[in-house]
Amino acid sequence: MPLPALTRWVVVGAGFAGLGCAKELAKHDDVQVTLVDRHNYHQFLPLLYQVATSQLAPSDVAIAIRKEFRKHPNVNVKMAEVVSADPQREQAGAHAL
């Protein structure tokens, strides 16, 4: 019996919305997710002022994106900048960083 085809998703950006979307999609075994961001970390910007005033350490407001998805083999994290998107052809172009 052939394996079912995976639905492939590309999530552009690992901000609040991108991380949330990728986390929800990662719960499904029949989905392959590629998360593309220019950085390998996500910053919780609302607390950044506390880092500037030495109330928090930088590690308290940043998480490693790959570490967040290490238990989800169906998620690939790519450090790149998306430079084009063609929804009709379902393609995105990116430059690796």
Side-chain angles (χ1 to χ4, degrees):
M1 175 180 267
L3 294 174
L6 295 176
T7 302
R8 300 181 73 187
W9 286 84
V10 175
V11 178
V12 178
F16 289 113
L19 276 181
C21 180
K23 284 181 180 181
E24 286 299 313
L25 289 169
K27 295 176 184 177
H28 303 279
D29 293 333
D30 60 340
V31 172
Q32 177 66 46
V33 181
T34 301
L35 177 59
V36 183
D37 195 86
R38 287 181 276 174
H39 305 286
N40 61 355
Y41 59 88
H42 168 77
Q43 282 186 323
F44 188 72
L45 294 178
L47 294 179
L48 202 53
Y49 75 94
Q50 289 185 341
V51 174
T53 58
S54 299
Q55 295 175 12
L56 289 175
S59 60
D60 293 334
V61 297
I63 60 166
I65 299 169
R66 284 186 174 89
K67 187 176 180 182
E68 191 71 16
F69 293 102
R70 71 180 179 267
K71 294 182 181 177
H72 298 282
N74 59 332
V75 178
N76 291 317
V77 178
K78 302 291 183 190
M79 224 171 98
E81 182 174 5
V82 174
V83 294
S84 65
D86 187 345
Q88 290 181 344
R89 293 176 63 195
E90 297 182 349
Q91 292 181 342
H95 290 287
L97 299 175

